[in-house]
Amino acid sequence: MSEAHDPGFVRRYIFSTDHKIIGIQYILTGLVMGLVGGLLAVLIRIQLGWPTAQWELLETLMPRGYPSGFMAPEFYISVVTMHGTIMVFFFISYVLVSGFGNYLVPLQVGAKDMAYPLLNMLSYWFALLSAVVMMASFLVEGGAAAAGWTAYPPLSAIASAVPGSGLGQSIWLVSMAIFIASFTMSGLNVVATIFTMRAPGMTMMRLPLTIWSYFIAAILGLLAFPPLTAAAVLLLFDRHLGTSFFLPSGLVVAGQPLSFQGGSPLLWQHLFWFLGHPEVYVLILPALGIVGDVVPAFTRKPVFGYRLNVYSLIAVGVLSMVVWGHHMFVSGMSPFTGEYFTLATMLITIPMTVYGVNLVASLFGGRMRLATPMLFSLAAVALFGSGGFGGLFLGNATADMQLHDTYFVVGHFHFMIGGVTLMGTFAALYFWFPKMFGRSMHEGFGKLHFWGTFAPFFMVFFGQHFLGLQGMPRRYYAFNTYEYLEGTAGQNTMLSVIVMVLVAAQFVFMVNFLWSLFKGQPAEANPWAATTLEWTVASPPPHGNFGDTLPAVHRWAYEYSPESTGEDFAPQTAGPNDAPITA
Amino acid sequence: MSETRDTRLPFSLEPVLVGLLFGSIGLFGVIYGIGEWAPELASRHGAGIDTMMTYLMVTTGAMFLTGHLAMALFIWQGSRRTRISHRLASPRFEKRLSIALGVLMAVVAEGGVVAIGLPVWNEYFMAEAPPDAVTVEVVGQQFFWSVRYPGADGEFGATDIQLMDDVVNPIGLDRSDPVAVDDIVWLNEIYVPVNRPVRVVLRSKDMIHSFFLPHLRVKQDVIPGMVPEVVFVPTREGTFELACAELCGLGHYRMQGFFHVVSDAEFTSQLERLASEQ
């Protein structure tokens, strides 16, 4: 590394090939997108909480979405669609998967950078492009896509079906294709880096759980995402070139007979969920891996059952590829496939239970310090358990007949890909912020943020499970014509009020984040007394991470309270003479 | 063990609050879980679905409570320690715990499905409509349901896309077809007799709709190009709401219908009334 060569501001911070800068770029982009997605959620909750109210301010801000101050139904479903799309693909994927993945993988395996730094930079710029393209769809005629984040045809295929299925839906599909290209590039990089660039002594069974989870997630992404690219291209053909991949004959839309022939909307559902189900594991596994590494740092004891946790992650990865049909129990596919998908889905609960219980067992007997990253990790564990129990209802075809497409589903996935990932993201942000920026976040505001986030979050989405049990369908603009749902009106208003608290708490985080960036306490190299390799270098780490020689690794990542030494922990680089080697 | 007692940290409020937070989630869940939430049951196979739900509520509720109370306890205990009390479990213990958990979940999850769930699923989907079943066709389109009875001949007449007209003939019934003459077509209102099997033949003209009767525990997506059928037995007289459960456009939320379960006599008279208004 020649320090004499200064690449200049633009090459260092904008068009950088340094994995740390790219990771931070992903994180900042994702946080901005998360803010957009969160504001869309506010619009949704305003409509559901007060369906008959008139909003002059919103009319002034968005005259097309709020004619005469009332939300237009087509705008509502656009907002629902974009909230889901942005949160799944542009917030959680960017911050947690690509952002922290980029930042942590080379540092924790002991590499100077990703295997393909230029490809890494390209993947970020594709990701940014895809986000910009997606946001542009709000501005076009007809507004943003309105067929749900699942984009089921014919609704997503026929322009006259709903205003959002005009140009907005085409833009959605193009953005998705760019996103998948970007995600494939970064997945390849993660797999190659973990396979080939581990520091001497860093065997696979010494990798922190964080790295294992990114490894499995990246492989799942590589296997599961390309079919949706294909499906997106085919759907674009159906929309613009007159093909009939997803459209059957006999369609009559808005009084007009259409000339499509021989396609099947069910094919899209299979292709979408072949991506969609592994996708939720791509998002949730990194959160679980991170929690598995944060918890030991705050209980000062090794994670419980490391090897079994690794095996569980692998088993979940394999099983996640063969259960996509549990999203389609009542779609009209063969009931025999429904039976298979039920039995296969129930199998996933076994490795997931092992992992979840091992996280709880990791708390047992520890010396616990309730710093902010630990609080958010505990929240992630609780939501993972609670969401998992909801999964038993939905993965079971018999119960799913009643619960499919109700708010039970909405509550469930907000616990899992919404909650576990969000709490994992915050745990990661508070935990690695000192490493990334050389300053610490404010602990008091962090705790305020925790209480303002976890408690309301749990109440809102726990409550939605019970709305679903009452039979309340999702993606409804209003419920006031249904007599059997009369009782839900008050519950919806209450949930909307709680959501406002939840959103307000995020401004505490924003202020804390920005303030700490410039004014936070300067951080030392290892403020949490943690064991993994990134804590052995300065905060923030220099370009090239480890200087001229790669670190030599002598032990696993969980050498807390090592036996027969007075030390509190031994970093992975500590030699055999410093402390006994556990693994 | 006064030694360990001496190494305890003094009382502080935060761990108590955090412990209470996680513990109260467990209690909160139980209080919610024992409530009656589902719309009042009105079909025969629905009893099986409700049993499945109750089973899941009880089993997951027990695990939910145990898990959160354990977390609360570990947080409270751990926050007062100055050094850890357990470092590593033996590999044998770890393995045994995992096997025990695997067996537990296999019994709870797979066992529940095999013993309770799949028999109900099979009864519902493999049901052949008996000869005395009432057949009704329901056709979804943006944003209403057309309802058709085959009339005295028991057969549905031909339909033709070219004859479709949303105002006078939404399903495009070809009245020149002799079989179609006695077909009865109506909007959004479905009449069926109580305690007799109903066979609903579903079609969609445009988008994916979903035929959802919350009280009867019936939900079936209607994908255009496919003609799914559901067979079930209503067990209670009354008017039950029909909702669309698959996003089908901006009017999805108001695609409402009414499913009237009536006595045999009233069913006959309602059909006569509808036939006279054709």
Short mmCIF file of all heavy atoms in Angstrom, two decimals, chain B residues 83-117:
data_model
loop_
_atom_site.label_atom_id
_atom_site.label_comp_id
_atom_site.label_asym_id
_atom_site.label_seq_id
_atom_site.Cartn_x
_atom_site.Cartn_y
_atom_site.Cartn_z
N ARG B 83 -19.35 -12.35 36.63
CA ARG B 83 -18.68 -13.27 35.70
C ARG B 83 -19.66 -14.36 35.29
O ARG B 83 -20.63 -14.61 36.00
CB ARG B 83 -17.41 -13.84 36.30
CG ARG B 83 -17.66 -14.79 37.44
CD ARG B 83 -16.39 -15.51 37.78
NE ARG B 83 -15.96 -15.01 39.02
CZ ARG B 83 -15.74 -15.67 40.19
NH1 ARG B 83 -15.77 -16.73 40.26
NH2 ARG B 83 -15.44 -15.21 41.31
N ILE B 84 -19.36 -14.98 34.16
CA ILE B 84 -20.32 -15.93 33.60
C ILE B 84 -20.41 -17.17 34.49
O ILE B 84 -19.44 -17.52 35.18
CB ILE B 84 -19.96 -16.34 32.16
CG1 ILE B 84 -18.62 -17.06 32.10
CG2 ILE B 84 -19.94 -15.12 31.27
CD1 ILE B 84 -18.34 -17.68 30.76
N SER B 85 -21.56 -17.80 34.49
CA SER B 85 -21.72 -18.99 35.32
C SER B 85 -21.58 -20.27 34.49
O SER B 85 -21.29 -21.32 35.02
CB SER B 85 -23.07 -18.97 36.03
OG SER B 85 -24.10 -19.17 35.09
N HIS B 86 -21.83 -20.19 33.20
CA HIS B 86 -21.64 -21.34 32.32
C HIS B 86 -20.93 -20.87 31.06
O HIS B 86 -21.33 -19.87 30.49
CB HIS B 86 -22.97 -21.96 31.90
CG HIS B 86 -23.74 -22.54 33.04
ND1 HIS B 86 -24.43 -21.76 33.94
CD2 HIS B 86 -23.92 -23.83 33.43
CE1 HIS B 86 -25.01 -22.55 34.84
NE2 HIS B 86 -24.72 -23.80 34.56
N ARG B 87 -19.89 -21.60 30.64
CA ARG B 87 -19.22 -21.16 29.42
C ARG B 87 -19.71 -21.99 28.23
O ARG B 87 -20.44 -21.51 27.39
CB ARG B 87 -17.70 -21.27 29.56
CG ARG B 87 -17.00 -20.73 28.34
CD ARG B 87 -15.52 -20.52 28.57
NE ARG B 87 -14.94 -19.83 27.43
CZ ARG B 87 -14.37 -20.47 26.43
NH1 ARG B 87 -14.27 -21.79 26.42
NH2 ARG B 87 -13.87 -19.79 25.41
N LEU B 88 -19.32 -23.24 28.21
CA LEU B 88 -19.69 -24.09 27.08
C LEU B 88 -20.43 -25.31 27.59
O LEU B 88 -20.03 -25.90 28.59
CB LEU B 88 -18.42 -24.58 26.36
CG LEU B 88 -17.78 -23.64 25.36
CD1 LEU B 88 -16.47 -24.23 24.89
CD2 LEU B 88 -18.69 -23.40 24.18
N ALA B 89 -21.47 -25.68 26.89
CA ALA B 89 -22.11 -26.96 27.19
C ALA B 89 -21.28 -28.04 26.51
O ALA B 89 -20.55 -27.76 25.55
CB ALA B 89 -23.53 -26.97 26.67
N SER B 90 -21.40 -29.27 26.98
CA SER B 90 -20.65 -30.34 26.31
C SER B 90 -21.26 -30.58 24.94
O SER B 90 -22.46 -30.38 24.74
CB SER B 90 -20.72 -31.62 27.13
OG SER B 90 -22.04 -32.13 27.06
N PRO B 91 -20.42 -30.99 23.96
CA PRO B 91 -20.96 -31.27 22.62
C PRO B 91 -22.11 -32.26 22.69
O PRO B 91 -23.05 -32.19 21.90
CB PRO B 91 -19.76 -31.86 21.87
CG PRO B 91 -18.57 -31.36 22.60
CD PRO B 91 -18.97 -31.18 24.04
N ARG B 92 -22.02 -33.19 23.66
CA ARG B 92 -23.08 -34.18 23.74
C ARG B 92 -24.40 -33.53 24.16
O ARG B 92 -25.45 -33.82 23.61
CB ARG B 92 -22.69 -35.26 24.76
CG ARG B 92 -23.28 -36.61 24.39
CD ARG B 92 -22.70 -37.68 25.24
NE ARG B 92 -23.29 -37.66 26.57
CZ ARG B 92 -22.94 -38.50 27.54
NH1 ARG B 92 -21.99 -39.38 27.33
NH2 ARG B 92 -23.52 -38.44 28.70
N PHE B 93 -24.31 -32.59 25.10
CA PHE B 93 -25.53 -31.90 25.52
C PHE B 93 -26.12 -31.08 24.38
O PHE B 93 -27.33 -31.10 24.14
CB PHE B 93 -25.24 -31.00 26.73
CG PHE B 93 -26.45 -30.22 27.17
CD1 PHE B 93 -27.45 -30.84 27.91
CD2 PHE B 93 -26.60 -28.89 26.83
CE1 PHE B 93 -28.58 -30.14 28.32
CE2 PHE B 93 -27.73 -28.17 27.21
CZ PHE B 93 -28.71 -28.79 27.96
N GLU B 94 -25.23 -30.39 23.67
CA GLU B 94 -25.71 -29.58 22.54
C GLU B 94 -26.43 -30.45 21.52
O GLU B 94 -27.50 -30.11 21.02
CB GLU B 94 -24.53 -28.87 21.87
CG GLU B 94 -24.00 -27.71 22.68
CD GLU B 94 -22.80 -27.06 22.04
OE1 GLU B 94 -22.34 -27.55 20.98
OE2 GLU B 94 -22.31 -26.06 22.58
N LYS B 95 -25.81 -31.60 21.23
CA LYS B 95 -26.40 -32.48 20.22
C LYS B 95 -27.75 -33.01 20.71
O LYS B 95 -28.74 -33.03 19.98
CB LYS B 95 -25.44 -33.64 19.93
CG LYS B 95 -25.58 -34.18 18.52
CD LYS B 95 -24.65 -35.36 18.28
CE LYS B 95 -23.19 -34.94 18.23
NZ LYS B 95 -22.27 -36.10 18.19
N ARG B 96 -27.78 -33.40 21.98
CA ARG B 96 -29.04 -33.95 22.53
C ARG B 96 -30.15 -32.91 22.52
O ARG B 96 -31.29 -33.20 22.21
CB ARG B 96 -28.81 -34.46 23.95
CG ARG B 96 -28.13 -35.79 23.92
CD ARG B 96 -28.08 -36.37 25.31
NE ARG B 96 -27.43 -37.68 25.26
CZ ARG B 96 -27.09 -38.35 26.34
NH1 ARG B 96 -27.33 -37.85 27.54
NH2 ARG B 96 -26.52 -39.53 26.23
N LEU B 97 -29.78 -31.67 22.88
CA LEU B 97 -30.80 -30.61 22.88
C LEU B 97 -31.36 -30.43 21.47
O LEU B 97 -32.57 -30.32 21.28
CB LEU B 97 -30.20 -29.30 23.38
CG LEU B 97 -31.19 -28.13 23.40
CD1 LEU B 97 -32.26 -28.34 24.46
CD2 LEU B 97 -30.47 -26.80 23.64
N SER B 98 -30.45 -30.41 20.49
CA SER B 98 -30.92 -30.22 19.11
C SER B 98 -31.82 -31.36 18.67
O SER B 98 -32.83 -31.14 17.99
CB SER B 98 -29.74 -30.11 18.15
OG SER B 98 -29.02 -28.95 18.44
N ILE B 99 -31.42 -32.58 19.03
CA ILE B 99 -32.26 -33.73 18.65
C ILE B 99 -33.62 -33.62 19.34
O ILE B 99 -34.67 -33.83 18.71
CB ILE B 99 -31.56 -35.05 19.01
CG1 ILE B 99 -30.34 -35.23 18.10
CG2 ILE B 99 -32.50 -36.24 18.85
CD1 ILE B 99 -29.41 -36.35 18.51
N ALA B 100 -33.61 -33.24 20.62
CA ALA B 100 -34.88 -33.10 21.33
C ALA B 100 -35.75 -32.05 20.68
O ALA B 100 -36.96 -32.25 20.48
CB ALA B 100 -34.61 -32.74 22.79
N LEU B 101 -35.13 -30.92 20.29
CA LEU B 101 -35.91 -29.86 19.63
C LEU B 101 -36.44 -30.34 18.29
O LEU B 101 -37.58 -30.05 17.92
CB LEU B 101 -35.04 -28.62 19.41
CG LEU B 101 -34.67 -27.84 20.67
CD1 LEU B 101 -33.60 -26.81 20.34
CD2 LEU B 101 -35.90 -27.16 21.24
N GLY B 102 -35.58 -31.07 17.56
CA GLY B 102 -36.00 -31.59 16.26
C GLY B 102 -37.21 -32.50 16.41
O GLY B 102 -38.19 -32.39 15.67
N VAL B 103 -37.14 -33.38 17.40
CA VAL B 103 -38.25 -34.31 17.63
C VAL B 103 -39.49 -33.53 18.05
O VAL B 103 -40.60 -33.76 17.54
CB VAL B 103 -37.87 -35.37 18.69
CG1 VAL B 103 -39.07 -36.21 19.07
CG2 VAL B 103 -36.74 -36.24 18.16
N LEU B 104 -39.30 -32.56 18.96
CA LEU B 104 -40.45 -31.77 19.42
C LEU B 104 -41.14 -31.08 18.25
O LEU B 104 -42.36 -31.17 18.08
CB LEU B 104 -39.97 -30.72 20.44
CG LEU B 104 -41.04 -29.72 20.87
CD1 LEU B 104 -42.02 -30.37 21.84
CD2 LEU B 104 -40.43 -28.47 21.50
N MET B 105 -40.34 -30.42 17.41
CA MET B 105 -40.96 -29.70 16.30
C MET B 105 -41.54 -30.66 15.27
O MET B 105 -42.55 -30.37 14.65
CB MET B 105 -39.96 -28.75 15.63
CG MET B 105 -39.60 -27.54 16.46
SD MET B 105 -41.00 -26.74 17.25
CE MET B 105 -41.78 -25.92 15.87
N ALA B 106 -40.89 -31.79 15.09
CA ALA B 106 -41.44 -32.78 14.15
C ALA B 106 -42.80 -33.24 14.64
O ALA B 106 -43.74 -33.36 13.85
CB ALA B 106 -40.48 -33.95 14.00
N VAL B 107 -42.91 -33.47 15.95
CA VAL B 107 -44.19 -33.94 16.49
C VAL B 107 -45.23 -32.82 16.42
O VAL B 107 -46.35 -33.01 15.93
CB VAL B 107 -44.00 -34.42 17.95
CG1 VAL B 107 -45.36 -34.66 18.60
CG2 VAL B 107 -43.17 -35.69 17.97
N VAL B 108 -44.84 -31.61 16.85
CA VAL B 108 -45.80 -30.52 16.90
C VAL B 108 -46.22 -30.09 15.48
O VAL B 108 -47.41 -30.01 15.17
CB VAL B 108 -45.22 -29.31 17.66
CG1 VAL B 108 -46.09 -28.08 17.47
CG2 VAL B 108 -45.09 -29.64 19.13
N ALA B 109 -45.23 -29.86 14.64
CA ALA B 109 -45.55 -29.28 13.32
C ALA B 109 -46.00 -30.35 12.33
O ALA B 109 -47.11 -30.31 11.81
CB ALA B 109 -44.34 -28.52 12.79
N GLU B 110 -45.12 -31.34 12.09
CA GLU B 110 -45.48 -32.38 11.12
C GLU B 110 -46.62 -33.24 11.66
O GLU B 110 -47.52 -33.63 10.93
CB GLU B 110 -44.28 -33.27 10.80
CG GLU B 110 -43.10 -32.55 10.17
CD GLU B 110 -43.25 -32.31 8.67
OE1 GLU B 110 -44.37 -32.49 8.15
OE2 GLU B 110 -42.25 -31.92 8.04
N GLY B 111 -46.55 -33.55 12.97
CA GLY B 111 -47.60 -34.38 13.58
C GLY B 111 -48.96 -33.72 13.47
O GLY B 111 -49.95 -34.35 13.13
N GLY B 112 -49.00 -32.42 13.77
CA GLY B 112 -50.27 -31.69 13.67
C GLY B 112 -50.82 -31.72 12.26
O GLY B 112 -52.01 -31.93 12.04
N VAL B 113 -49.92 -31.54 11.29
CA VAL B 113 -50.35 -31.56 9.90
C VAL B 113 -50.90 -32.93 9.52
O VAL B 113 -51.97 -33.05 8.92
CB VAL B 113 -49.17 -31.18 8.98
CG1 VAL B 113 -49.48 -31.54 7.54
CG2 VAL B 113 -48.86 -29.71 9.11
N VAL B 114 -50.14 -33.97 9.87
CA VAL B 114 -50.53 -35.31 9.44
C VAL B 114 -51.81 -35.76 10.16
O VAL B 114 -52.72 -36.32 9.55
CB VAL B 114 -49.37 -36.30 9.70
CG1 VAL B 114 -49.82 -37.73 9.46
CG2 VAL B 114 -48.20 -35.95 8.79
N ALA B 115 -51.88 -35.49 11.47
CA ALA B 115 -53.00 -36.01 12.24
C ALA B 115 -54.27 -35.18 12.06
O ALA B 115 -55.36 -35.72 12.00
CB ALA B 115 -52.63 -36.07 13.73
N ILE B 116 -54.13 -33.86 11.99
CA ILE B 116 -55.33 -33.02 11.94
C ILE B 116 -55.49 -32.35 10.58
O ILE B 116 -56.56 -32.35 9.98
CB ILE B 116 -55.26 -31.91 13.03
CG1 ILE B 116 -55.00 -32.53 14.39
CG2 ILE B 116 -56.55 -31.10 13.04
CD1 ILE B 116 -54.74 -31.52 15.48
N GLY B 117 -54.39 -31.77 10.07
CA GLY B 117 -54.49 -30.89 8.90
C GLY B 117 -54.83 -31.60 7.60
O GLY B 117 -55.82 -31.30 6.95
#
